[in-house]
Amino acid sequence: MASYSTNEFKSGLKFMMDGDPYTIVENEFVKPGKGQAFNRVKIRNLKTGRVIDKTWKSGESVEAADVMEVDMEYLYEDGEFWYFMEPDTYEQHAADKNAVTDVIKWLKPQEKYIVTLWNGAPLSISPPNFVELKITECDPGVRGDTAQGATKPATVETGAQIKVPLFVEEGEVVKIDTRSGEYLSRA
Amino acid sequence: MLHDIRAFFAERGVLEVETPALSQAANTDPAIESFPVDNAGGPLRYLHTSPEYPMKRLLAAGSGDIYQIARVWRQGESGTRHNPEFNLLEWYRVGFSYQQLIQEVDELLTSLFSSLPGALQKKSKIISYQQLFLEKFGFNPHTVNHADLAAAIDQHISGLDVNGLTDQAMLDALLTHCIEPQFDNKRLTFVIDYPADQSALAALKVNEEIKEKKEDKKDKKDKENNKGHLVAQRFEVYLGPLELGNGYQEETDYARNQQILARENRTRMQVVLHDQHDDQQQAKQAKMPEDQYFLAAIKAGLPRCAGVAIGLDRLLMLIANKKTLSQLINFSWDKA
């Protein structure tokens, strides 16, 4: 397996530690005038999402992680697994509950998602920043009230609960920012 | 800034000099890596990491006070405040003590930072390495034992594995992670009197610092331990937490200079033997050619002097009010 020396550390680098895959969030090189240099690094556990501080003696190395980010289309779920497909090869990957937990409320068949593969298996799924989803349930629209920012709760086709302006009707398709979960506009 | 520096030294009668950047010898310091350069099939040459060796040859030849503004190279030193290729201002004052040189560094930096609003509102502080550790951790860095150091790291630095770290490396970690970040932004801090094995080519002296605490039993013991302990007559200067330069009372004794280079090379080999599972071949490669011309010059006689090197890119970064070197340098390491 390839390894990375601390000299090669930079944001986004994926490596293994204690059996888990990690990515580097922030890397800082510190060194006294004479003496041992260190790399002070913030790293994110790709399984749990937890960010921790870690310090390496400069010159040490870490094992590279076989982690890839691939665009895939979501197909369906069978109650145990969620299935994604690589559009070019039609290769299918089954993601378990852990991998989809964060994204489950934005999963819509035929939409594209970024699937992080670790040793070939889905580790986590990121939704696109913006999705367009149909409103399946909300109170009737109120005409005329287009400003003022008053909102009402609505449920979209994937099951996510969002807040929409009063004028939005059931059955309409709206654009949502998945990072904040906020309504942006009618699609 | 370069103009101001040259004017500063012209006024004081310090001569500007140049020395070669590509040398047959390399820096033996285990914590500094020289760049090797192919030489048409001949023995490797090395880019200098500082002009120290040849400048001391000039001093031994009777140059008197000299300074140099040199481009230098150090492998692997890359970060927001490090660039492997950088500019160093190095100068030597014949007959100076390092305390006198601290005074001169203070004057130079004060004049260069005069345009910086609020940077030097407070008077510079001179504090010993020992005092820093006593204040922050309550132990004496010259006498503390391995277990106490490891415990301090455990408590104050998350995610650092102390396995394979020497006591000195642990002190380095505590200094860079816990002490330096707390230096006052409004003044220069001079840290003096480093552990003897961090002397580089500085002269040693007997540590005279005596703890002024209540004389309980433990203190008494500490004091006894401390008595006769050697420290390096060395200083580092910081503005806030940012280290700017490193100065020495230069070691003039030939035998000791020779011992230091040999010891540094031994340390280099030990580190490799430890990390590479006793690979003798690699250990041999870690050994750097010692500068024989430099040693010959010391043997001929280096006058008593003090010298200091200051990183000019960092100075300019402060003066230009930038947060990182890459914002300052036209084409930083990854784009060079």
Side-chain angles (χ1 to χ4, degrees):
Chain A
M1 196 67 182
S3 65
Y4 300 115
S5 148
T6 55
N7 288 338
E8 301 167 83
F9 277 14
K10 60 179 179 197
S11 306
L13 192 88
K14 314 271 194 306
F15 67 95
M16 296 297 299
M17 191 175 80
D18 305 332
D20 278 358
Y22 282 83
T23 183
I24 292 181
V25 181
E26 214 178 284
N27 170 44
E28 182 54 76
F29 177 81
V30 295
K31 185 176 195 290
K34 298 276 169 202
Q36 182 63 53
F38 297 95
N39 285 67
R40 271 185 103 160
V41 192
K42 275 196 196 319
I43 57 177
R44 178 183 292 114
N45 184 319
L46 288 170
K47 267 170 134 178
T48 65
R50 261 188 72 212
V51 173
I52 58 171
D53 291 321
K54 176 88 186 152
T55 296
W56 277 274
K57 201 165 74 157
S58 293
E60 287 186 321
S61 41
V62 293
E63 188 191 326
D66 177 15
V67 171
M68 282 191 307
E69 288 177 342
V70 186
D71 285 332
M72 291 192 211
E73 202 177 289
Y74 170 58
L75 298 174
Y76 64 95
E77 51 126 339
D78 64 7
E80 190 180 1
F81 291 106
W82 283 255
Y83 293 90
F84 293 81
M85 181 181 72
E86 293 187 45
D88 301 340
T89 61
Y90 304 109
E91 192 186 336
Q92 291 189 19
H93 297 269
D96 64 12
K97 177 105 186 170
N98 279 334
V100 297
T101 306
D102 293 338
V103 76
I104 203 161
K105 62 182 177 178
W106 306 120
L107 280 183
K108 180 184 169 187
Q110 275 88 56
E111 286 291 319
K112 284 230 172 99
Y113 297 82
I114 300 166
V115 178
T116 303
L117 293 174
W118 175 40
N119 295 333
L123 179 66
S124 66
I125 320 286
S126 328
N129 288 342
F130 306 105
V131 291
E132 290 180 359
L133 297 171
K134 191 196 267 183
I135 305 246
T136 51
E137 203 184 320
C138 75
D139 293 336
V142 182
R143 290 231 169 265
D145 191 355
T146 58
Q148 304 311 322
T151 59
K152 60 183 179 181
T155 306
V156 294
E157 56 186 309
T158 59
Q161 300 271 344
I162 60 167
K163 287 197 176 346
V164 296
L166 297 180
F167 58 81
V168 172
E169 301 276 6
E170 208 171 283
E172 280 191 285
V173 176
V174 296
K175 192 172 176 187
I176 303 161
D177 187 328
T178 57
R179 293 161 296 187
S180 58
E182 279 171 10
Y183 163 94
L184 290 173
S185 67
R186 282 167 159 150
Chain B
M1 181 179 75
L2 291 178
H3 174 266
D4 292 345
I5 290 170
R6 291 195 160 102
F8 180 89
F9 288 113
E11 201 177 291
R12 286 153 196 255
V14 182
L15 183 69
E16 180 164 10
V17 297
E18 282 190 349
T19 54
L22 267 179
S23 169
Q24 298 170 57
N27 194 341
T28 48
D29 188 326
I32 298 180
E33 242 3 88
S34 307
F35 279 95
V37 178
D38 274 340
N39 176 34
L44 289 177
R45 293 255 161 173
Y46 297 89
L47 285 168
H48 64 172
T49 60
S50 97
E52 176 171 7
Y53 300 139
M55 284 182 84
K56 284 184 172 169
R57 286 165 66 187
L58 292 175
L59 288 161
S63 64
D65 300 328
I66 48 175
Y67 78 98
Q68 177 163 197
I69 294 170
R71 180 67 59 92
V72 299
W73 293 265
R74 295 181 184 181
Q75 277 196 61
E77 303 197 2
S78 195
T80 54
R81 293 182 305 273
H82 288 83
N83 198 59
E85 172 172 352
F86 65 105
N87 295 289
L88 207 57
L89 163 66
E90 184 151 330
W91 80 94
Y92 292 87
R93 295 289 244 147
V94 175
F96 265 42
S97 67
Y98 71 117
Q99 289 87 350
Q100 282 172 294
L101 191 60
I102 285 174
Q103 184 58 36
E104 189 162 73
V105 170
D106 197 332
E107 284 163 24
L108 174 67
L109 294 181
T110 304
S111 76
L112 292 177
F113 290 142
S114 59
S115 61
L116 267 186
L120 301 181
Q121 283 172 354
K122 294 189 190 163
K123 200 171 165 294
S124 302
K125 181 175 180 180
I126 299 178
I127 184 163
S128 75
Y129 190 86
Q130 176 178 326
Q131 194 60 32
L132 284 175
F133 280 88
L134 282 173
E135 282 176 13
K136 174 77 189 174
F137 301 110
F139 61 68
N140 181 339
H142 304 306
T143 56
V144 67
N145 65 42
H146 190 84
D148 287 349
L149 273 173
I153 296 238
D154 239 27
Q155 191 186 340
H156 295 279
I157 305 178
S158 65
L160 173 60
D161 184 3
V162 298
N163 275 329
L165 286 185
T166 62
D167 288 4
Q168 187 52 55
M170 288 198 269
L171 289 171
D172 291 340
L174 292 169
L175 182 71
T176 49
H177 286 64
C178 306
I179 296 179
E180 288 178 359
Q182 294 180 351
F183 285 166
D184 195 325
N185 267 316
K186 295 195 176 68
R187 69 169 159 225
L188 297 174
T189 302
F190 290 88
V191 180
I192 59 168
D193 298 348
Y194 282 72
D197 56 358
Q198 279 209 313
S199 71
L201 298 175
L204 302 179
K205 68 168 185 183
V206 175
N207 192 7
E208 287 151 1
E209 204 170 339
I210 289 171
K211 285 170 64 172
E212 289 172 5
K213 268 193 188 167
K214 268 189 297 180
E215 295 246 340
D216 60 35
K217 212 174 168 189
K218 189 168 171 287
D219 269 3
K220 223 178 208 166
K221 203 167 145 237
D222 269 3
K223 206 161 140 184
E224 274 160 23
N225 281 341
N226 208 16
K227 209 187 274 175
H229 202 91
L230 291 172
V231 293
Q233 300 183 58
R234 223 188 97 195
F235 66 89
E236 296 214 9
V237 54
Y238 296 78
L239 176 59
L242 186 63
E243 187 229 336
L244 299 174
N246 199 340
Y248 305 93
Q249 188 74 52
E250 303 298 346
E251 178 59 72
T252 55
D253 180 62
Y254 167 68
R256 230 191 72 78
N257 270 288
Q258 198 185 28
Q259 283 159 15
I260 292 167
L261 297 192
R263 185 189 69 200
E264 287 183 339
N265 256 332
R266 272 201 307 278
T267 308
R268 298 180 77 88
M269 291 174 70
Q270 278 158 9
V271 169
V272 171
L273 286 176
H274 179 267
D275 292 352
Q276 305 295 331
H277 315 290
D278 293 326
D279 185 331
Q280 298 288 345
Q281 195 60 35
Q282 288 215 37
K284 246 183 211 154
Q285 282 169 14
K287 195 174 166 191
M288 288 290 130
E290 295 160 14
D291 193 330
Q292 300 304 330
Y293 292 112
F294 159 72
L295 288 172
I298 304 293
K299 197 171 192 177
L302 180 70
R304 177 172 183 266
C305 61
V308 60
I310 288 182
L312 292 182
D313 305 75
R314 286 190 184 172
L315 283 196
L316 200 56
M317 179 177 93
L318 290 170
I319 292 171
N321 197 21
K322 302 290 182 201
K323 293 271 174 289
T324 67
L325 285 176
S326 60
Q327 293 177 320
L328 176 87
I329 298 170
N330 282 336
F331 306 107
S332 59
W333 191 244
D334 53 331
K335 301 197 178 65

